[in-house]
């Protein structure tokens, strides 16, 4: 994905998004089984968001390279 984006003059974020910083802060406070549960919930939520975005790109994206990348990557995201 990085190589595709580089050819399209797209600026990638320099740091992680605020929502991910919040999640990291929450996870850093948890321990043991509470950490495991919170981590799994976060990963499931994040993967579901990613799947939605990739499906949208694969189905209705306007850039052929990004559309192909999304289509190719979707099965892996769904498997996770």
């Amino acid at each position: 994905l990085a190589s595709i984006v580089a050819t399209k003059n797209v600026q990638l974020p320099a740091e992680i998004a605020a929502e991910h910083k919040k999640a990291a802060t929450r996870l850093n406070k948890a321990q043991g089984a509470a950490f495991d549960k919170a981590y799994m919930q976060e990963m499931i939520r994040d993967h579901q968001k990613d799947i939605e975005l990739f499906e949208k790109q694969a189905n209705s994206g306007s850039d052929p390279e990004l559309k192909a990348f999304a289509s190719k990557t979707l099965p892996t995201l769904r498997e996770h």
Side-chain angles (χ1 to χ4, degrees):
L1 181 57
S3 63
I4 294 170
V5 172
T7 65
K8 302 194 182 295
N9 296 320
V10 174
Q11 184 71 31
L12 296 175
E15 56 184 56
I16 66 171
E19 69 180 294
H20 296 299
K21 286 182 183 180
K22 280 178 140 179
T25 299
R26 280 193 311 272
L27 290 172
N28 282 331
K29 293 178 183 176
Q31 295 180 355
F35 171 84
D36 293 343
K37 183 177 179 180
Y39 178 81
M40 289 304 297
Q41 288 173 338
E42 188 63 35
M43 292 300 102
I44 290 168
R45 188 174 23 255
D46 192 55
H47 274 72
Q48 288 170 338
K49 286 180 187 177
D50 290 344
I51 289 168
E52 288 176 18
L53 291 170
F54 275 66
E55 284 175 340
K56 183 177 179 181
Q57 183 60 235
N59 294 327
S60 58
S62 59
D63 184 290
E65 285 180 290
L66 293 174
K67 195 171 181 174
F69 178 84
S71 295
K72 180 181 174 186
T73 308
L74 260 172
T76 302
L77 288 173
R78 287 183 179 130
E79 185 179 316
H80 284 176

